[in-house]
Amino acid sequence: MSHSLLVTLHLFAAILFVGTVFFEVLILEGIRKPLGREAMRNVELAIGRRARRIMPFAMIVLFGAGLGMAWQFREALAHPFASSFATLLWIKIILAFSVLGHFITAMTLSGTGKLKSRHFQIIHLSVFCHVILIVFLAKAMFYLHW
């Protein structure tokens, strides 16, 4: 598959995933108090149901395209400290797999009915921090050099 197609698929899936995370952290957390505990719990459950239908596909495309792009940089990845590009790409990959772990945890807890509001908040805040770093690294890999 061509690099430009992989980048495009990766970008669209990232927009969907990162946009959802930003919405949940920056918008939903701001309405938690005015809505009240019960209403917020209903909102979280509804979002969880919708996310369980859409996000697995977004993650498959995101990671599939990401792995395809990483394969094209396998020579650089074989030597993680040989260049700033390789080091930053490795950090980005590690963060991405951490996000995947968070995602699987949230989906599992949500699917079993064990995802509490506090879990929802902590997981989303952590993923939010991760994706901010990932987006920064996506650009920094090409512009930061040491």
Side-chain angles (χ1 to χ4, degrees):
M1 192 174 291
S2 77
H3 184 73
S4 58
L5 181 58
L6 289 172
V7 169
T8 303
L9 290 171
H10 192 71
L11 185 58
F12 278 121
I15 289 168
L16 176 61
F17 184 78
V18 173
T20 301
V21 171
F22 270 63
F23 172 78
E24 289 175 347
V25 172
L26 298 177
I27 304 298
L28 283 184
E29 288 306 317
I31 64 169
R32 184 173 292 283
K33 278 189 180 176
L35 274 184
R37 180 175 286 177
E38 189 59 35
M40 194 62 192
R41 181 75 178 139
N42 289 334
V43 168
E44 289 170 351
L45 288 171
I47 288 172
R49 280 191 302 272
R50 185 71 175 150
R52 278 194 309 278
R53 285 166 89 197
I54 294 173
M55 286 302 146
F57 297 108
M59 293 297 277
I60 289 168
V61 172
L62 189 60
F63 273 83
L67 291 171
M69 290 187 302
W71 180 254
Q72 295 175 357
F73 295 111
R74 64 190 174 277
E75 189 65 37
L77 289 169
H79 308 286
F81 301 110
S83 68
S84 55
F85 176 85
T87 302
L88 295 174
L89 182 54
W90 264 112
I91 294 169
K92 184 178 176 238
I93 290 168
I94 290 166
L95 288 169
F97 276 99
S98 178
V99 167
L100 180 62
H102 283 72
F103 176 76
I104 291 169
T105 299
M107 294 298 279
T108 302
L109 289 173
S110 181
T112 60
K114 295 180 182 176
L115 184 64
K116 306 292 182 215
S117 284
R118 190 69 187 139
H119 297 135
F120 187 87
Q121 288 176 293
I122 292 168
I123 290 170
H124 283 91
L125 185 57
S126 180
V127 170
F128 180 78
C129 293
H130 279 67
V131 298
I132 286 173
L133 287 170
I134 289 169
V135 169
F136 172 78
L137 289 169
K139 283 307 199 185
M141 295 180 335
F142 297 100
Y143 297 108
L144 289 181
H145 305 285
W146 59 75

